[in-house]
Amino acid sequence: MTDIGYHASHEQFAPSDLLEYVRRAEEAGFTDVLASDHFHPWSERQGEAGFVWSWLGAAMETTSMTFGTVNAPGYRYHPTIVAQAAATLRSMYPERFWLSVGSGELLNEHVTGERWPGKDERNARLEACAEVMRRLWDGETVTHHGQVTVEDARLHTLPDTAPPLVGAALSEQTARWLAEWADGMVTVATTDHESLQRRIEAFRERAPDAPVYLKVQLSYAEDEETALEGAYDQWRTNCVPGPVTQNLRTTEQYDAVGETVTREEVKENVRVSADLDRHVEWLREDLALDVEKVFLHNVNREQEQFVDAFGERVLPEFE
């Protein structure tokens, strides 16, 4: 059975509100949580950016679900610190925490003044960070000089099993590369199911037994217009093509570019529907790809309505 989880969007909601949402999600039947890790929101309308690592301890203490987060080690986070944080959570809550890593976005990572390299160099740094973290989780004393620098680092608090290290991918090329070293892959499912299928196939060509997790971007409301307007208000800045965002440094710049995004373009990136049966159909298509976890991100602001409706009408279809 595929786990169906809730996405905790730290760029959209205050940490205290998200704590209530995950409690509600567990009561509704969601089994897992994927939490975002951002320094800035994508839009001033979103308006939040809590520190996910503080929140994870509280959320894992007050629920029994499994949690993961997507992190970009090597810039605002040093990989030794990420490894320590992940090991501590996994030690306190055995088998309930996994870590995903990606190459990051300038919006979040430039805040320390670190030079922002091209994609190939960022990928090389990501792989080096993954190696450092795995060695630390194995109990080694690590010194490393290369894409990152580590001197005599050793973790003294270790879990019984290391956190799974899941790579984040938005393209076939990245998916294929992740299969060489990651324990699994997390990717985004939108309305373009063929693109999603190609991404998964690219990963599984080289890692046939590794798990695949999906983050589904959707907007549910009681009527179509409200669902679309909620997605347009909150998520249009996230529908800007990737190459355009490579040099955007501030939330204000994202908002300026987001003004060029149409509602139709939002519908191409977000599953917008007031029809719960349509959401069930979309999920059945996802699960036909034999994925291990699906995380539902309702991108509009009506989280309680979404959690309750999906808990009552959607999740039971997959029990």
Side-chain angles (χ1 to χ4, degrees), residues 41 53 56 67 74 77 85 106 108 126 132 145 176 178 192 238 245 264 272 278 291 306:
W53 295 96
L56 280 166
F67 285 72
Y77 292 106
L106 181 61
N108 295 302
L126 176 60
V132 165
H145 296 277
R176 194 171 290 109
L178 288 178
D192 186 353
N238 298 70
T245 65
E264 284 303 312
V272 178
R278 182 68 185 106
V291 297
F306 155 70

Side-chain angles (χ1 to χ4, degrees), residues 2-225:
T2 301
D3 293 335
I4 299 179
Y6 172 80
H7 179 71
S9 181
H10 279 266
E11 60 271 40
Q12 292 180 274
F13 304 102
S16 55
D17 292 337
L18 282 174
L19 197 59
E20 293 303 316
Y21 296 156
V22 297
R23 288 171 178 158
R24 194 181 192 113
E26 182 173 41
E27 292 176 359
F30 290 86
T31 57
D32 298 71
V33 175
L34 175 62
S36 55
D37 181 357
H38 292 282
F39 195 88
H40 293 131
W42 305 101
S43 167
E44 288 296 327
R45 291 179 305 280
Q46 294 174 354
E48 295 285 346
F51 187 55
V52 71
W53 295 96
S54 300
W55 179 85
L56 280 166
M60 296 181 77
E61 180 65 23
T62 55
T63 71
S64 60
M65 294 188 285
T66 297
F67 285 72
T69 191
V70 182
N71 181 273
Y75 304 95
R76 65 188 164 110
Y77 292 106
H78 195 277
T80 57
I81 304 305
V82 179
Q84 183 185 33
T88 297
L89 286 173
R90 183 92 171 174
S91 178
M92 293 176 67
Y93 307 104
E95 309 300 318
R96 287 179 53 202
F97 180 76
W98 55 275
L99 176 65
S100 180
V101 290
S103 59
E105 307 91 6
L106 181 61
L107 174 70
N108 295 302
E109 308 308 326
H110 82 277
V111 295
T112 62
E114 179 79 20
R115 181 181 68 87
W116 187 244
K119 177 64 171 173
D120 289 346
E121 187 176 340
R122 297 205 311 275
N123 280 355
R125 184 177 295 194
L126 176 60
E127 193 168 359
C129 289
E131 178 187 352
V132 165
M133 291 189 292
R134 281 195 170 115
R135 290 176 63 191
L136 288 168
W137 292 331
D138 285 342
E140 294 184 35
T141 298
V142 178
T143 294
H144 178 92
H145 296 277
Q147 293 285 348
V148 291
T149 299
V150 181
E151 294 282 354
D152 302 321
R154 181 164 72 91
L155 296 180
H156 290 263
T157 297
L158 288 169
D160 291 336
T161 59
L165 196 57
V166 178
L170 295 176
S171 70
E172 291 177 54
Q173 181 180 3
T174 300
R176 194 171 290 109
W177 168 69
L178 288 178
E180 298 174 359
W181 58 268
D183 297 326
M185 180 181 74
V186 60
T187 190
V188 175
T190 60
T191 56
D192 186 353
H193 202 261
E194 291 183 2
S195 175
L196 170 62
Q197 187 168 3
R198 290 194 300 270
R199 235 174 296 146
I200 293 175
E201 289 174 352
F203 178 76
R204 286 199 165 133
E205 283 174 5
R206 299 184 180 183
D209 299 323
V212 173
Y213 304 162
L214 302 183
K215 174 181 178 278
V216 173
Q217 298 177 160
L218 64 94
S219 185
Y220 167 75
E222 291 184 348
D223 62 83
E224 294 289 327
E225 182 179 359

